[in-house]
Amino acid sequence: TTEKETEVAIAENVVNLTDAQLQNATLEIGNFEKRNVSSTLKVSGIIDVPPQNLISISMPLGGYLKSTKLLPGMHVAKGEILATMEDQQYIQLQQDYLITKSKLNFAQQEYERQKELNQSKASSDKVFQLAESDYKNLRITLSGLGEKLKLIYVNPNKLTESNLSKSINIYSPINGFVSKVNVNIGKNVNPSDVLFELINPSDIHLNLKVFEKDVTKLYIGQKLFAYSNNQPENKHECEIILISKDLSAEDHTAEVHCHFEDYDKTLLPGMYMNAVIEVKSNNVLTLPEEAVVNFEGKNYIFFVNNKNQYTMTEVNVGEKENNYIEILEAGKIESKKVVIKGAYTLLMKLKNISDE
């Protein structure tokens, strides 16, 4: 029974043509051809920023936010005032520095005087050592206070009794954009609080998730276009700069990092993006599109048994380009002759016979 069913199935896929029918059919016979076929790979990802390009601004000594004009998305220049802070402790720190500096001048003079007296044995070693200790201790204290002043953006070398201030400016360390504003005017902030976050756009990049089967199609330097769901018409050209060698355990995807050719300030970290990558499959087996017919949702080609007989065989197809179509897993059949023109005529003939 099985052999008979097999014979019937084979018979249903075989077309026999008389010489007269063959003459009217105008068939053209050809072979599989190896070609380079381009296709597009659609993936998604998220805009990311390397840690060295994401700057968190805080106030190491805390204080009250007196003023700021920052809003997310604003551009800031290096050295520009981001905000003005206010606190009594700023005055105290400046005051301590200036008083210590004054004491140090006196201690230095006393140290030099005692040094001369000690050399001439006019004063004891103990008195000289006390003067030396006071001088060194005040130098250490002044240096420490100076470093604290630098933490609140005060230059100790320019500090005088005439320019003491309870207000301190915070300056931008980079040219970039504001990504977050976490405070409002009048808020009392702690040393650990992040007031603002800035982005240096020079190295903002796109982090794409690519499935394992597609990773091998990509290479460093490959170009692609990315776009957001909100503005699909606005294409951003990117270049692949890094392909991760590790696959995620959950969905077997690899991270592919891409550099934006031109930075757009509307692109912010955390924004989801889609990307279209053109990939090439090298030396794949192809047939003209005319050679492949579709019947009841499946794709078929016709092999040549002889000049009057043809067998319809199901195939899986890949990408199409320039009127050629990729035939997947065709290695075992690539040497066979195929009907490359007139396949639809054979399909109609086969259908008519099977319908009878």
Side-chain angles (χ1 to χ4, degrees):
T1 307
T2 306
E3 290 180 4
K4 287 183 179 180
E5 288 177 354
T6 303
E7 288 175 6
V8 170
I10 292 173
E12 287 178 348
N13 289 333
V14 174
V15 182
N16 291 294
L17 299 179
T18 64
D19 287 342
Q21 289 173 326
L22 184 61
Q23 191 172 358
N24 291 330
T26 61
L27 303 182
E28 190 174 323
I29 310 304
N31 300 299
F32 287 94
E33 290 184 45
K34 286 189 175 182
R35 289 175 174 268
N36 295 335
V37 178
S38 296
S39 62
T40 55
L41 179 63
K42 294 182 178 180
V43 294
S44 60
I46 193 170
I47 295 178
D48 203 358
V49 179
Q52 64 269 25
N53 284 60
L54 188 62
I55 312 295
S56 295
I57 304 296
S58 59
M59 193 61 181
L61 298 185
Y64 291 88
L65 179 63
K66 182 181 179 182
S67 65
T68 184
K69 295 185 291 184
L70 294 191
L71 292 171
M74 285 180 63
H75 180 269
V76 291
K78 186 174 182 178
E80 181 180 337
I81 296 175
L82 301 179
T84 301
M85 302 294 297
E86 200 170 77
D87 202 279
Q88 294 290 344
Q89 64 175 319
Y90 304 157
I91 302 174
Q92 186 65 52
L93 181 58
Q94 295 169 75
Q95 181 179 316
D96 290 346
Y97 180 84
L98 291 175
I99 291 173
T100 304
K101 188 176 181 181
S102 177
K103 287 181 178 179
L104 179 63
N105 289 334
F106 175 77
Q108 183 177 4
Q109 291 172 10
E110 181 64 14
Y111 164 71
E112 290 173 353
R113 190 172 72 88
Q114 291 296 336
K115 187 177 180 180
E116 289 178 7
L117 291 172
N118 184 257
Q119 286 174 348
S120 62
K121 302 300 181 183
S123 69
S124 67
D125 290 344
K126 184 177 180 180
V127 173
F128 168 67
Q129 288 167 358
L130 283 172
E132 183 181 33
S133 176
D134 287 343
Y135 173 55
K136 287 184 177 179
N137 288 342
L138 284 169
R139 281 181 60 186
I140 293 169
T141 302
L142 189 72
S143 178
L145 290 170
E147 292 303 312
K148 283 186 177 181
L149 286 173
K150 290 176 184 177
L151 286 176
I152 59 171
Y153 306 97
V154 173
N155 185 345
N157 297 324
K158 295 183 179 180
L159 182 63
T160 66
E161 59 187 87
S162 61
N163 62 9
L164 285 168
S165 175
K166 65 179 179 179
S167 297
I168 300 299
N169 292 327
I170 300 176
Y171 301 93
S172 174
I174 61 165
N175 292 312
F177 293 88
V178 181
S179 64
K180 287 183 183 178
V181 177
N182 299 324
V183 289
N184 53 271
I185 293 173
K187 185 172 183 179
N188 184 22
V189 299
N190 297 314
S192 60
D193 293 342
V194 175
L195 311 183
F196 314 105
E197 286 189 5
L198 308 181
I199 295 171
N200 182 348
S202 63
D203 199 24
I204 191 170
H205 65 253
L206 179 61
N207 185 354
L208 297 174
K209 297 285 188 182
V210 179
F211 285 108
E212 179 182 5
K213 64 183 179 65
D214 297 320
V215 171
T216 54
K217 301 175 184 177
L218 308 180
Y219 57 89
I220 304 299
Q222 191 170 7
K223 304 292 183 182
L224 58 98
F225 289 96
Y227 58 92
S228 66
N229 289 328
N230 296 332
Q231 294 181 307
E233 73 285 351
N234 191 8
K235 301 289 193 298
H236 303 275
E237 187 177 357
C238 303
E239 179 182 320
I240 294 176
I241 57 173
L242 178 67
I243 301 173
S244 173
K245 302 299 181 184
D246 296 323
L247 297 174
S248 67
E250 297 107 24
D251 51 9
H252 277 263
T253 59
E255 291 187 355
V256 176
H257 296 268
C258 312
H259 173 73
F260 286 95
E261 296 292 343
D262 296 306
Y263 178 72
D264 186 331
K265 66 179 181 181
T266 62
L267 301 176
L268 298 174
M271 185 181 288
Y272 287 96
M273 300 287 283
N274 299 307
V276 177
I277 311 171
E278 185 175 297
V279 296
K280 284 189 177 292
S281 300
N282 296 323
N283 291 326
V284 296
L285 291 170
T286 67
L287 288 173
E289 283 192 62
E290 268 190 276
V292 181
V293 292
N294 188 279
F295 180 59
E296 295 182 346
K298 295 181 179 179
N299 295 298
Y300 298 91
I301 60 175
F302 285 89
F303 289 121
V304 180
N305 298 340
N306 55 57
K307 75 182 185 73
N308 297 98
Q309 188 182 74
Y310 307 87
T311 301
M312 185 174 79
T313 303
E314 184 183 353
V315 291
N316 294 317
V317 300
E319 302 297 331
K320 298 177 184 178
E321 187 181 33
N322 298 328
N323 298 320
Y324 279 84
I325 187 167
E326 179 185 1
I327 308 299
L328 302 174
E329 300 169 357
K332 295 179 181 178
I333 55 175
E334 66 173 304
S335 60
K336 292 188 176 184
K337 296 286 185 181
V338 182
V339 175
I340 60 172
K341 189 173 183 180
Y344 189 74
T345 303
L346 293 179
L347 177 64
M348 291 298 99
K349 172 69 174 168
L350 190 63
K351 281 185 67 178
N352 290 336
I353 292 174
S354 62
D355 288 341
E356 289 175 1

